[in-house]
Amino acid sequence: MLSDPYNLWRYYEPPLSADEVATAESVSDPCHLKYATSENLLKANRAAESLLNGIFLTQVECVSDITALSTNKGPERLETLARYQAPHERCYTHLSIALRAFSLEMDPKPTQASSSEALQSLIKAFLIFKLYHSTIRLFLFCGPGTPGAPGAKLEDPKMGAYHRDALDLAERILQLGSPRTAPFTPVPSTTQPLFVVAYSGTPQSNRRRAIDLLRRYPRREGLWDTMFGAALCELIMAREREILAERRRESGADAYDGNTAETREEDDDEIVELLDRQCRTRVKFENERSARVTLWTWRECMAGQPGKIRRLQW
């Protein structure tokens, strides 16, 4: 089986077609698993994880186009980005079809501890697939089941709801705990989706909740360290609060110190302008629990300004 973490998504096909899913939705028997098998869930999870990696890679490769679009200086770049995103949307459509098929059989299933370990493993694999599907939606700016549809902006309440959905799924998965033995169905980690919300989610309350989950369920998985991820995202949020305070002072509004305990709740959930959000992060590890971090906002990147250097400990 192909295992390339950046290209596996290109070859994914759902266990049945959209028309077959529509037929199954009218006659499916949730007591018998025909689609949500261990093999099908394994393939779907690997494809979803690979697609998320592929989207990250495309964002890095297209950073100049994204920068131009963010300032409305390069609307012609939209066609380029749409061309890059078209294969992602195709895979997302296939993943959405698979999700519909799996949901027919898995949504009615119990999650009590009395369930067999094999069934619990399938349920966890299904929930993680839903989590990655929800996380991918954030990057494609799609409505549920409608890849390519006009997406929500950061200040749109729908975006906050999408991030909250991902957090609800992640917390439910983490509460299931780890199996006593090797899982029947290997699954991707919850760390990457949680980091996505903590790093760039909206509103700020969702980001704080993601950071809390990263800390409450500490783990190290490959290159992912949840304690480091939580500390880094807190540092980024602190920098954004500094920028909000600077903007208030520049506009003559009631200034405040964004790092004080007196920060008002409505300010904490204020939308940070896109250009003042994080664009680049450089981390130079000094030892196992400390690093020197350089932070660039989109505005600083476009102006060619040096980033802000901060010390990070976790």
Side-chain angles (χ1 to χ4, degrees):
M1 178 185 292
L2 293 168
S3 59
D4 185 336
Y6 289 94
N7 289 296
L8 184 61
W9 62 271
R10 297 179 183 275
Y11 313 104
Y12 178 72
E13 295 290 340
L16 66 172
S17 69
D19 290 339
E20 289 170 333
V21 171
T23 301
E25 285 174 335
S26 62
V27 299
S28 179
D29 177 9
C31 295
H32 178 60
L33 297 180
K34 294 192 298 183
Y35 314 121
T37 63
S38 179
E39 181 180 3
N40 284 340
L41 284 165
L42 175 61
K43 290 179 179 178
N45 269 315
R46 284 180 172 174
E49 183 181 29
S50 173
L51 177 56
L52 190 57
N53 289 336
I55 290 172
F56 290 156
L57 181 60
T58 298
Q59 287 192 331
V60 172
E61 293 173 340
C62 298
V63 66
S64 60
D65 296 307
I66 296 172
T67 301
L69 276 175
S70 66
T71 57
N72 294 320
K73 293 181 179 179
E76 69 281 356
R77 307 289 184 93
L78 184 60
E79 184 177 344
T80 301
L81 289 175
R83 187 168 63 251
Y84 274 109
Q85 195 174 84
H88 298 154
E89 292 179 355
R90 176 195 58 79
C91 181
Y92 182 82
T93 298
H94 288 174
L95 294 174
S96 298
I97 293 171
L99 180 60
R100 287 172 59 193
F102 298 155
S103 297
L104 292 173
E105 301 169 340
M106 297 305 295
D107 277 343
K109 293 295 181 184
T111 57
Q112 290 89 347
S114 58
S115 304
S116 70
E117 286 193 19
L119 179 56
Q120 287 187 53
S121 180
L122 286 177
I123 291 171
K124 186 171 184 177
F126 169 66
L127 292 175
I128 287 185
F129 178 58
K130 288 181 69 175
L131 172 61
Y132 272 77
H133 183 272
S134 295
T135 305
I136 292 165
R137 177 176 61 181
L138 301 174
F139 291 92
L140 297 182
F141 297 100
C142 300
T146 55
K153 297 181 179 180
L154 284 175
E155 62 270 19
D156 193 315
K158 287 191 296 185
M159 287 301 290
Y162 291 164
H163 285 93
R164 188 163 53 252
D165 288 346
L167 289 174
D168 289 343
L169 279 167
E171 186 165 18
R172 182 180 173 190
I173 292 163
L174 290 168
Q175 288 173 345
L176 292 176
S178 301
R180 288 170 292 180
T181 58
F184 288 86
T185 307
V187 293
S189 169
T190 57
T191 303
Q192 195 169 356
L194 282 175
F195 184 80
V196 166
V197 178
Y199 187 87
S200 59
T202 184
Q204 303 292 66
S205 55
N206 279 338
R207 298 173 74 182
R208 291 193 300 271
R209 182 182 170 197
I211 290 170
D212 175 66
L213 289 173
L214 287 169
R215 282 212 171 97
R216 206 188 321 160
Y217 297 91
R219 60 189 65 199
R220 284 186 177 181
E221 298 164 318
L223 297 176
W224 289 101
D225 181 333
T226 60
M227 301 302 286
F228 164 72
L232 177 61
C233 291
E234 277 190 334
L235 185 67
I236 291 170
M237 291 182 69
R239 172 61 184 144
E240 290 174 356
R241 288 196 298 272
E242 291 175 6
I243 294 173
L244 282 175
E246 292 170 7
R247 297 287 175 264
R248 285 177 174 272
R249 285 194 293 269
E250 291 170 359
S251 65
D254 181 25
Y256 70 97
D257 181 353
N259 288 314
T260 64
E262 289 78 19
T263 299
R264 293 172 295 183
E265 184 176 350
E266 59 268 27
D267 292 328
D268 200 35
D269 271 338
E270 186 174 352
I271 296 294
V272 179
E273 185 181 348
L274 176 61
L275 292 179
D276 290 329
R277 283 199 161 221
Q278 195 68 10
C279 174
R280 290 176 54 200
T281 305
R282 179 184 297 160
V283 180
K284 183 178 181 180
F285 292 96
E286 297 177 331
N287 56 53
E288 189 176 351
R289 291 293 179 182
S290 68
R292 185 183 184 209
V293 180
T294 308
L295 306 172
W296 284 271
T297 65
W298 285 96
R299 195 184 305 276
E300 290 165 341
C301 280
M302 290 186 296
Q305 297 174 348
K308 305 299 181 185
I309 298 175
R310 299 287 187 271
R311 296 283 179 177
L312 182 65
Q313 292 185 321
W314 64 95

